[in-house]
Amino acid sequence: MLSERRLEVLRAIVQDYVGTEEPVGSKALTERHRLGVSPATVRNDMAALEDEGFIAQPHTSAGRIPTDKGYRLFVDKLAGVKPLSTPERRAIQNFLDGAVDLDDVVGRTVRLLAQLTRQVAVVQYPSLTRSTVRHVELLPLAAARVMLVLITDTGRVEQRMVDCPSPVSEESLADLRARLNSRVVGRRFADVPQLVQDLPESFEQEDRGTVTTVLATLLETLVEETEERLMIGGTANLTRFGHDFPLTIRPVLEALEEQVVLLKLLGEAKDSGMTVRIGHENAHEGLNSTSVVAVGYGSGDEAVAKLGVVGPTRMDYPGTMGAVRAVARYVGQILAES
Amino acid sequence: MLSERRLEVLRAIVQDYVGTEEPVGSKALTERHRLGVSPATVRNDMAALEDEGFIAQPHTSAGRIPTDKGYRLFVDKLAGVKPLSTPERRAIQNFLDGAVDLDDVVGRTVRLLAQLTRQVAVVQYPSLTRSTVRHVELLPLAAARVMLVLITDTGRVEQRMVDCPSPVSEESLADLRARLNSRVVGRRFADVPQLVQDLPESFEQEDRGTVTTVLATLLETLVEETEERLMIGGTANLTRFGHDFPLTIRPVLEALEEQVVLLKLLGEAKDSGMTVRIGHENAHEGLNSTSVVAVGYGSGDEAVAKLGVVGPTRMDYPGTMGAVRAVARYVGQILAES
DNA sequence: CCTGGCACTCAACGGTCACGAGTGCCAGAA
DNA sequence: TTCTGGCACTCGTGACCGTTGAGTGCCAGG
């Protein structure tokens, strides 16, 4: 087991390295942190930490840098979550309060998070399957053409065109709309399939085709949209990564463009509490030199979606975690109000 | 005026430089392009082209590279638009055909364009002001709370929450919905303000407040959404820019994140025909070393929005222009069908 | 178990030098 | 006139090399 002081040394190394972006040596450490021991002692501790795999040397005769394992220990045991300052909190609230619709909320959140953490921000749209139905609308566009509009309690709206097998009267449509809504409003999307299962049977023969088609489209929409949407921002912050750009930044940008990858990334995060994935802990190869800090957010107790940031493993974990958590809370509040 | 051969030399320089990304010298030129003259002659021509400002030397004893002015001449006089190959056309169609809604169309388009040109793609959502109204829906959510949903002929949907000054009955709402739709369906959004101007007067005193509020929100939505939305993709392609990364890529990423900047950029493009802005022709400073190729697209003759790509001034103009034009056409078709 | 001392390693920096691609200019040929 | 070959010159690039200094590992003694 590592002694108290060695942990202290690790903490100091992480902090210095995050600050300076340069390998940190024993002498510099004793000067900047009152460890109460000489550089030689620190060197011994460092050797031990290196043996255990918490730190590494880029090359002989250079200082040490933390490994993924080192950051992991730092995050788990050595660092807390740094709360935001009052002005910061106020700024968040002001910035988020002006949003007019869901797109706007998500857009503002992503910009805010990117600015606050100076990293790449990712915000997932509230999931359909975890939301409840606020309203289902059916609009006749032509004789046999209907637009289906789904509205969630989180303000999300989805629409689909439905081509019916036969012309539908306004009355039948109104009837379907009414019955459909009476069954599903207030229910979770995940439960919708069950709830509408026997609906066609209660209609006249002539309208049954239409009802079936509409319901099919509705269910299809639910399935398609389970692959969620998301928004990213702050990619310009990637340029602060390191000096060895092209190789580092390229795969990250590529990964960020693949929504599938990002969604999987967020999906892997725990539903409650904050999740931090460091370097190689990320399954996707392009993100092996980045860390992901993610957390769920929602209007109530339950998370309806996730948000987070992607940055270099060498990031300010306490600060980033603080910002992510705070933003998630405020977004939850905003959603609850609307 | 420049002689025929000198123009030919300029064309050769642009082509070679675009291909190799390295300053091109007189000897290499004569070897790769059958100009029928010796390197010495080409040198004289180059000196002339340099005097006129079409090409420049990064430093003495290096080859020449085209200036913005040189590219401009190339695009205007020396290069055509390269049509896509049949497989490419087919790929576009296949890729775009599977789209389920407007978001999907735009998303697919942006990915397609990025992939085709290997550059950053920007696609603007169909403008509200230039679209026509397909339907206006009013959904009662609570006694004094209504959701306003706007649907355009291009499939775009906008929704807003409206808090009414007093409770509204279902009947009044249905009445308003009917009258509103009878006035505006099929009309252009730009004309809506006029069309609904006198609507409140025709309602009972008790509902007038609600009507006014709803209309106010409607008009507000139109104004807000005049600042259009857009989607970008292919930013990973920025890493192919040059070897002097950080300085080049940074401002571009920043500019791309500012939707305002991009919208202005696209807004400056001509409504019909293709617009190419080269290097310093772009007002925004961060884009001084990039070129923008943009074109309008729409379901009919008229453009409802624009799309384009952003890439290094050193880009394959004929190919890029060909891809942009082709994609715009297909997107137009898709929109017309839906 | 900590400390000071010491020899060793190695990336980074800067200077020198040869190479070669590319230029401008000029005198002579077409 | 216009093109061509020849020639001297420029200057960025890359190889080579010695110096410097931060940092290490190890060891003997407190």
Side-chain angles (χ1 to χ4, degrees):
Chain A
M1 196 42 215
L2 290 168
S3 75
E4 195 59 37
R5 195 191 57 228
R6 291 196 174 157
L7 291 177
E8 199 52 47
V9 169
L10 177 58
R11 167 188 278 138
I13 291 174
V14 171
Q15 285 175 353
D16 273 23
Y17 184 60
V18 166
T20 64
E21 307 200 4
E22 268 166 22
V24 16
S26 54
K27 189 158 161 239
L29 258 200
T30 53
E31 280 165 4
R32 306 188 30 161
H33 302 262
R34 314 211 174 145
L35 295 169
V37 293
S38 78
T41 308
V42 171
R43 279 204 287 283
N44 287 329
D45 291 344
M46 282 174 145
L49 286 168
E50 185 164 8
D51 280 346
E52 306 260 5
F54 294 112
I55 56 179
Q57 301 185 73
H59 37 253
T60 337
S61 91
R64 305 305 216 292
I65 62 175
T67 60
D68 289 353
K69 192 178 167 193
Y71 286 121
R72 169 53 56 201
L73 184 60
F74 176 79
V75 169
D76 289 347
K77 300 277 161 62
L78 303 176
V81 175
K82 189 168 132 210
L84 297 199
S85 65
T86 316
E88 279 174 322
R89 292 178 172 279
R90 202 168 304 140
I92 295 181
Q93 197 141 25
N94 285 342
F95 192 62
L96 249 34
D97 267 353
V100 296
D101 65 2
L102 184 65
D103 271 329
D104 202 17
V105 171
V106 174
R108 280 166 188 253
T109 305
V110 90
R111 284 203 297 278
L112 181 66
L113 201 53
Q115 205 186 323
L116 230 42
T117 61
R118 301 204 54 189
Q119 280 161 142
V120 180
V122 183
V123 180
Q124 190 180 12
Y125 275 72
S127 149
L128 276 193
T129 43
R130 303 198 198 175
S131 307
T132 60
V133 183
R134 179 177 271 167
H135 189 86
V136 180
E137 184 58 34
L138 298 170
L139 306 172
L141 295 180
R145 196 146 213 227
V146 172
M147 176 176 259
L148 171 71
V149 183
L150 267 179
I151 303 173
T152 78
D153 61 333
T154 46
R156 186 162 163 178
V157 178
E158 288 294 325
Q159 82 281 2
R160 284 290 181 287
M161 219 55 82
V162 186
D163 282 310
C164 306
S166 57
V168 231
S169 67
E170 287 265 1
E171 293 76 41
S172 309
L173 208 59
D175 190 23
L176 174 56
R177 180 192 301 128
R179 289 208 226 170
L180 197 52
N181 275 293
S182 73
R183 292 212 182 188
V184 300
V185 167
R187 313 301 292 264
R188 308 171 90 242
F189 274 87
D191 302 332
V192 168
Q194 272 202 339
L195 294 166
V196 300
Q197 207 173 3
D198 58 341
L199 204 54
E201 296 163 23
S202 62
F203 279 81
E204 302 285 336
Q205 185 63 47
E206 52 172 7
D207 288 330
R208 215 168 277 175
T210 296
V211 172
T212 314
T213 313
V214 168
L215 289 183
T217 308
L218 174 62
L219 299 185
E220 202 177 281
T221 306
L222 294 181
V223 173
E224 267 167 16
E225 293 298 324
T226 312
E227 60 171 71
E228 317 282 355
R229 294 179 52 199
L230 43 75
M231 195 178 272
I232 77 173
T235 48
N237 290 326
L238 282 178
T239 54
R240 299 187 310 114
F241 248 39
H243 322 289
D244 51 346
F245 271 71
L247 295 173
T248 318
I249 204 177
R250 176 101 198 231
V252 179
L253 269 176
E254 274 168 1
L256 290 177
E257 292 226 336
E258 298 251 8
Q259 307 235 330
V260 190
V261 171
L262 278 181
L263 286 166
K264 216 162 104 192
L265 208 67
L266 290 179
E268 283 166 0
K270 294 191 300 277
D271 251 27
S272 63
M274 201 151 359
T275 302
V276 181
R277 299 209 151 231
I278 299 168
H280 290 80
E281 295 171 10
N282 291 302
H284 189 81
E285 213 179 324
L287 298 174
N288 278 179
S289 58
T290 64
S291 288
V292 179
V293 178
V295 67
Y297 71 90
S299 45
D301 299 331
E302 205 178 0
V304 292
K306 290 165 187 162
L307 58 77
V309 308
V310 178
T313 49
R314 170 218 325 131
M315 70 161 72
D316 167 20
Y317 289 95
T320 304
M321 291 165 79
V324 168
R325 190 171 66 185
V327 169
R329 283 200 189 138
Y330 281 107
V331 176
Q333 280 180 24
I334 299 283
L335 285 184
E337 286 164 15
S338 64
Chain B
M1 197 43 217
L2 289 168
S3 76
E4 194 59 35
R5 196 190 57 229
R6 289 194 175 157
L7 291 177
E8 199 53 45
V9 169
L10 177 58
R11 168 189 280 140
I13 291 174
V14 171
Q15 285 176 354
D16 273 23
Y17 184 59
V18 166
T20 65
E21 306 201 3
E22 269 166 22
V24 16
S26 53
K27 190 160 159 235
L29 258 200
T30 54
E31 280 164 6
R32 307 187 30 161
H33 302 262
R34 313 205 177 150
L35 294 168
V37 292
S38 78
T41 308
V42 172
R43 279 206 287 283
N44 287 328
D45 291 345
M46 284 173 141
L49 286 167
E50 183 163 9
D51 280 347
E52 306 261 5
F54 294 112
I55 57 179
Q57 301 186 71
H59 39 253
T60 336
S61 92
R64 306 303 219 292
I65 62 175
T67 59
D68 289 352
K69 193 178 167 193
Y71 284 120
R72 169 53 58 202
L73 184 61
F74 177 79
V75 168
D76 288 347
K77 299 280 162 59
L78 302 176
V81 175
K82 188 166 133 212
L84 297 199
S85 67
T86 316
E88 280 175 321
R89 291 177 175 279
R90 201 168 305 139
I92 295 181
Q93 198 143 25
N94 284 342
F95 193 62
L96 249 35
D97 267 355
V100 297
D101 65 1
L102 184 65
D103 270 329
D104 203 15
V105 171
V106 174
R108 280 165 187 252
T109 305
V110 90
R111 284 202 298 277
L112 181 66
L113 203 52
Q115 205 185 322
L116 231 41
T117 61
R118 305 202 53 189
Q119 279 156 187
V120 180
V122 184
V123 179
Q124 191 180 12
Y125 276 72
S127 148
L128 276 194
T129 41
R130 304 199 197 175
S131 308
T132 59
V133 183
R134 179 176 270 166
H135 189 86
V136 180
E137 184 58 35
L138 298 170
L139 306 172
L141 294 180
R145 194 145 213 228
V146 173
M147 175 176 260
L148 170 70
V149 182
L150 268 180
I151 303 172
T152 78
D153 61 334
T154 47
R156 187 163 163 179
V157 178
E158 288 294 325
Q159 82 280 0
R160 285 290 182 287
M161 218 57 82
V162 186
D163 282 310
C164 306
S166 57
V168 233
S169 66
E170 287 266 359
E171 294 76 41
S172 309
L173 208 57
D175 189 24
L176 175 56
R177 180 193 301 129
R179 289 208 227 171
L180 197 51
N181 275 292
S182 73
R183 291 210 183 191
V184 300
V185 168
R187 311 302 292 263
R188 308 171 92 242
F189 274 88
D191 302 332
V192 168
Q194 270 200 339
L195 294 166
V196 301
Q197 206 174 2
D198 59 340
L199 205 54
E201 296 163 22
S202 61
F203 279 82
E204 302 285 336
Q205 186 62 48
E206 53 173 5
D207 288 331
R208 214 167 278 175
T210 296
V211 173
T212 314
T213 312
V214 169
L215 289 183
T217 308
L218 174 62
L219 300 185
E220 201 177 281
T221 306
L222 294 180
V223 173
E224 267 166 15
E225 292 298 323
T226 312
E227 62 171 72
E228 317 283 353
R229 293 181 51 201
L230 44 76
M231 194 177 274
I232 76 173
T235 47
N237 290 324
L238 282 178
T239 53
R240 300 187 309 114
F241 247 41
H243 321 289
D244 50 345
F245 273 72
L247 296 174
T248 317
I249 205 177
R250 178 98 199 234
V252 180
L253 269 176
E254 274 169 2
L256 290 177
E257 292 227 335
E258 298 250 9
Q259 307 235 332
V260 191
V261 172
L262 278 181
L263 286 166
K264 217 162 105 192
L265 209 65
L266 290 180
E268 284 167 0
K270 294 192 298 280
D271 251 26
S272 62
M274 201 151 0
T275 303
V276 181
R277 301 210 150 230
I278 299 167
H280 291 80
E281 295 171 10
N282 290 303
H284 189 81
E285 215 179 324
L287 298 173
N288 277 180
S289 59
T290 65
S291 288
V292 179
V293 177
V295 67
Y297 71 90
S299 45
D301 300 332
E302 207 178 359
V304 292
K306 288 164 189 164
L307 58 76
V309 309
V310 179
T313 50
R314 171 217 327 130
M315 70 162 72
D316 168 20
Y317 289 95
T320 304
M321 290 166 80
V324 168
R325 192 172 64 185
V327 169
R329 283 201 189 137
Y330 281 107
V331 176
Q333 281 180 26
I334 300 283
L335 287 183
E337 286 164 16
S338 65

